[in-house]
Amino acid sequence: MLEKHLLYHEPEPGLLWNVDIDYNTAFGHRQLQETMRPLPVLVLFHFIAALSIHAIASDTMSSMVLALWQLSVLIAGGAFLIIFFKWNSGNQKNLLLNRTSKQFLAAAIFLSLVWSVPPIIFCKFLTEGSSFIMLGIVLAMMSMGIVTLLRIPASAIIYTSFLSVVISRSVYLSLSDHKLIGTVICLVFGAALVAMIVVLHQEFRRTIEIENARQKQNQTIKLLLNDFERETRNWLWETNQRGELTYHSPSLNSFLGLPNASLLGHNLLIALAPTFEEKSLEQLAHHIAEHRDIVNLVLKSTTNARSNYWQISARSKFDDNGIFQGYDGVSRDITQQHMAEIEVRTAKETAEQASSAKSQFLAVISHELRTPINAIVGFSEVLNDSHNQSLSSVNRKAYLDTILESAKQLQGLINDILDATRVERGALHMADQDIDVAELIEASTKICRDQATKSDISIIARVQEDVNLTGDLTRLKQVLVNLLTNAIKFSPAKTIINIDMKHGRDNQLIIAIRDAGIGISPEDAERVFEPFVQLDEGSTRRFGGVGLGLSIARRIARLHGGDVTLKGSEGIGTEACLVIPAARLRWPSSRSKESLQSNVAA
């Protein structure tokens, strides 16, 4: 029975535990709820049994006594009906639970008194056969009362005990033989019923405690899930065996851009199709088709022109017969994590490429340095040997020329390495001055003329007069010499290298150097500007160099606000362009420019 006087608050349907009710209140509600269900049947049987008793006793009993008893029958049945209708009308919300329980107890006691009258009074005036029929009706009424009042043990025990004693007494008085045995059997039966009521009540209480704990746990989980769904873009979902959604988080609607649409009953793959990439959905469909658990499957979606990555995990459900029942799953937004992994992977690849390039550079530089040093040391030893004092002046000059050429080559390599170091440290500074572009091209061509002559290559430069720029003469000359040297190095003999000055977009100047050499693929046209990168790698390669020239040339050009670009096709040739921005240029007048262009065309 309830011990606390608490106002009743009706819980949500199906809930035994609510934050507004304690366990005793919820248990009391359940007791009364289960008692109310069979109550109309008890009242109906109560009136039918009373009519039957009236029919049996009407010939022998005083009409006044029967009328008083019938009145008590009506009062008892009416009391139960009033309690029943008040409960179902909702008026009990304003009552105390223990008051309702006390009303039930009073009604049960009154009912037991009503049904004790026939065995005690009526049986005295009836024949033995009629008495046993009447006792059978009372016994049936006692059984119906026990079934109805079982969930309220105090009412059921009082009702059962009282009627058991009354029936035992009547059996003792009604039997002519074996009175004691019949009385004992009735008392034992009554005691057994009382014991059964107590045991069933304890079992009922344990069941309610288990359900209460489970319901409390479910509600806690529900609250946690609500918090989870409110505070995160992640979403939970559940499907049946046909792949139709039976549950999903509200955030799924927002993610799919369908805030007011109901997705329940829709196929999961069809619902996700407008947002997720087809390849990703094919992977998910493959897992679902095989009824396999989905473990950390990464899918890509596109919303508002932005790519998102989702990690989907789901557990496949099977019944006791091994029949597939669907999936319980969760989808987690891992876009930031995925992008971070890509950045780490890209950084790692870049570092590995840089390390590989530097390793290649060390292998190449050792070869490039060894060649001029060996020439310098070797020919110096020959000239210094006393046995070679009789060398002719022609041979001696040839040896000295070789030493000088090797020293210049070594000087160039060292300068490239020093410039690359300055570039990497950001210590490469420009000294601006006025420069005539035609003179710049002519000076650069003269520096490379000997190399071109040895390679049997012609250089033709078409220049425009009176085009001036502001920049570092030495560094810009270094860029053009580098581009010309590369063109000579990668061109076959008896070919021509063309140098042109072009008027580019936004009033830029483009100095284009075209060769007919081995060419370059579009994917390699950017890679060769990275430090230490060479397309012809290895110490046994056909072409010399350490892979720093183009990197230094582009850095110098960009320090001037311009750029160096390469374009071409393999086997056809390459065009290297030095781009100078308009801010550093002074073009000639329109008339002289038109005259110059017509002369060049002629």
Side-chain angles (χ1 to χ4, degrees):
M1 295 302 297
L2 298 177
E3 298 177 356
K4 295 184 178 181
H5 294 262
L6 295 172
L7 284 173
Y8 170 68
H9 300 274
E10 186 175 8
E12 296 179 18
L15 294 183
L16 295 178
W17 181 87
N18 189 283
V19 292
D20 295 326
I21 334 173
D22 65 4
Y23 166 72
N24 286 333
T25 306
F27 180 71
H29 173 270
R30 182 67 174 271
Q31 283 181 300
L32 294 176
Q33 187 180 45
E34 294 201 5
T35 303
M36 293 296 175
R37 290 173 185 169
L39 191 58
V41 178
L42 172 66
V43 174
L44 178 62
F45 188 82
H46 166 73
F47 287 124
I48 293 174
L51 291 175
S52 300
I53 295 295
H54 183 274
I56 294 173
S58 60
D59 294 335
T60 57
M61 292 300 301
S62 167
S63 59
M64 180 63 70
V65 174
L66 283 176
L68 291 174
W69 184 74
Q70 289 291 351
L71 180 61
S72 65
V73 168
L74 290 173
I75 294 173
F80 279 111
L81 288 177
I82 290 172
I83 295 174
F84 176 79
F85 285 117
K86 287 178 64 178
W87 177 268
N88 287 281
S89 67
N91 292 334
Q92 80 284 354
K93 293 181 180 179
N94 299 322
L95 300 176
L96 295 173
L97 273 177
N98 71 319
R99 181 183 301 174
T100 305
S101 299
K102 288 178 180 179
Q103 290 175 353
F104 240 115
L105 179 60
I109 293 174
F110 184 70
L111 185 66
S112 63
L113 291 174
V114 170
W115 284 101
S116 66
V117 171
I120 295 175
I121 298 176
F122 295 171
C123 285
K124 293 179 180 181
F125 303 98
L126 299 176
T127 63
E128 185 174 344
S130 298
S131 297
F132 276 110
I133 293 174
M134 187 175 291
L135 289 176
I137 294 172
V138 175
L139 184 61
M141 188 62 202
M142 182 179 76
S143 300
M144 287 296 298
I146 292 172
V147 172
T148 304
L149 302 174
L150 183 62
R151 296 308 184 197
I152 304 179
S155 300
I157 290 172
I158 292 174
Y159 180 77
T160 303
S161 301
F162 195 86
L163 288 183
S164 295
V165 172
V166 171
I167 292 173
S168 299
R169 176 184 176 280
S170 297
V171 168
Y172 181 80
L173 296 175
S174 300
L175 291 177
S176 56
D177 297 321
H178 308 294
K179 294 184 177 183
L180 185 60
I181 294 175
T183 303
V184 171
I185 290 174
C186 289
L187 291 174
V188 170
F189 177 71
L193 289 177
V194 170
M196 182 186 68
I197 291 170
V198 173
V199 171
L200 291 177
H201 175 70
Q202 294 298 325
E203 185 64 27
F204 176 67
R205 178 174 284 275
R206 282 194 294 269
T207 301
I208 296 302
E209 288 176 351
I210 293 172
E211 291 182 3
N212 178 66
R214 185 183 297 115
Q215 188 61 54
K216 184 175 181 179
Q217 183 182 33
N218 291 341
Q219 187 164 350
T220 301
I221 293 173
K222 183 179 179 180
L223 292 173
L224 291 175
L225 287 178
N226 289 338
D227 290 340
F228 168 79
E229 292 173 355
R230 263 197 318 269
E231 300 297 331
T232 181
R233 296 182 66 231
N234 304 345
W235 35 276
L236 306 174
W237 52 275
E238 181 183 56
T239 65
N240 58 20
Q241 63 270 28
R242 295 184 298 276
E244 299 167 344
L245 287 166
T246 56
Y247 168 79
H248 64 82
S249 303
S251 54
L252 177 58
N253 292 76
S254 301
F255 168 68
L256 296 177
L258 304 170
N260 299 321
S262 175
L263 298 177
L264 296 181
H266 288 69
N267 186 278
L268 174 65
L269 295 175
I270 296 176
L272 300 180
T275 305
F276 281 83
E277 289 189 347
E278 183 178 354
K279 184 177 179 181
S280 296
L281 288 180
E282 287 177 356
Q283 294 177 327
L284 180 60
H286 181 69
H287 282 76
I288 293 176
E290 296 183 353
H291 299 165
R292 290 187 296 159
D293 287 349
I294 303 171
V295 181
N296 298 336
L297 180 64
V298 178
L299 306 182
K300 183 180 180 181
S301 69
T302 303
T303 53
N304 299 325
R306 181 177 180 270
S307 295
N308 296 287
Y309 294 87
W310 297 85
Q311 186 181 78
I312 293 185
S313 298
R315 179 181 61 87
S316 52
K317 300 180 294 184
F318 296 88
D319 61 15
D320 295 337
N321 297 321
I323 299 176
F324 177 69
Q325 298 296 310
Y327 279 99
D328 288 328
V330 58
S331 300
R332 189 164 62 91
D333 186 355
I334 60 166
T335 302
Q336 293 184 351
Q337 175 184 340
H338 187 80
M339 298 307 296
E341 290 176 355
I342 292 177
E343 291 177 1
V344 170
R345 187 162 56 249
T346 302
K348 180 182 177 183
E349 292 174 355
T350 303
E352 289 175 349
Q353 291 175 359
S355 177
S356 175
K358 289 182 179 180
S359 298
Q360 179 65 28
F361 166 74
L362 291 175
V364 171
I365 196 65
S366 62
H367 173 77
E368 291 293 329
L369 291 175
R370 189 182 299 115
T371 300
I373 291 175
N374 287 342
I376 293 171
V377 173
F379 284 103
S380 297
E381 288 178 346
V382 170
L383 292 174
N384 192 47
D385 192 345
S386 58
H387 299 290
N388 295 324
Q389 296 299 322
S390 60
L391 284 173
S392 65
S393 59
V394 175
N395 289 336
R396 188 179 296 278
K397 185 178 183 307
Y399 292 167
L400 290 173
D401 288 342
T402 302
I403 292 173
L404 179 61
E405 183 179 351
S406 298
K408 289 181 178 180
Q409 182 183 356
L410 183 61
Q411 182 185 34
L413 290 172
I414 294 173
N415 287 336
D416 282 346
I417 295 172
L418 292 175
D419 286 342
T421 303
R422 294 191 190 101
V423 166
E424 194 165 340
R425 289 188 292 112
L428 194 64
H429 300 293
M430 301 293 104
D432 289 345
Q433 62 186 91
D434 290 335
I435 303 170
D436 185 281
V437 177
E439 292 180 0
L440 171 65
I441 294 174
E442 183 180 357
S444 303
T445 304
K446 286 181 179 179
I447 294 174
C448 300
R449 184 173 297 164
D450 289 344
Q451 181 184 356
T453 301
K454 291 179 181 178
S455 299
D456 195 13
I457 293 173
S458 301
I459 301 176
I460 298 177
R462 286 175 286 274
V463 299
Q464 298 181 19
E465 300 294 339
D466 300 327
V467 179
N468 296 284
L469 65 85
T470 301
D472 189 314
L473 175 62
T474 303
R475 293 301 182 186
L476 290 175
K477 190 186 300 181
Q478 181 182 354
V479 172
L480 289 178
V481 169
N482 183 280
L483 297 180
L484 278 170
T485 301
N486 277 347
I488 295 169
K489 181 167 58 175
F490 295 108
S491 296
K494 300 186 184 302
T495 58
I496 298 174
I497 295 175
N498 294 283
I499 305 176
D500 292 295
M501 293 172 58
K502 300 180 181 179
H503 200 141
R505 66 185 183 194
D506 299 328
N507 219 25
Q508 295 173 329
L509 169 65
I510 300 175
I511 302 175
I513 301 174
R514 299 192 314 276
D515 63 56
I518 61 174
I520 188 170
S521 64
E523 56 269 19
D524 290 332
E526 281 297 317
R527 195 166 67 88
V528 293
F529 286 103
E530 297 176 14
F532 315 119
V533 171
Q534 287 185 307
L535 301 183
D536 185 25
E537 297 179 339
S539 59
T540 59
R541 67 198 192 286
R542 294 176 296 161
F543 307 103
V546 293
L548 291 173
L550 288 175
S551 174
I552 296 171
R554 169 168 278 187
R555 184 57 183 268
I556 292 172
R558 289 182 174 178
L559 286 174
H560 284 82
D563 202 357
V564 172
T565 61
L566 292 178
K567 63 180 179 179
S569 300
E570 292 184 272
I572 296 178
T574 304
E575 182 181 66
C577 296
L578 169 61
V579 181
I580 305 297
R584 289 182 173 271
L585 294 170
R586 292 187 301 281
W587 290 94
S589 64
S590 300
R591 180 178 300 175
S592 61
K593 180 178 178 182
E594 291 173 0
S595 174
L596 179 61
Q597 287 177 340
S598 62
N599 291 336
V600 171

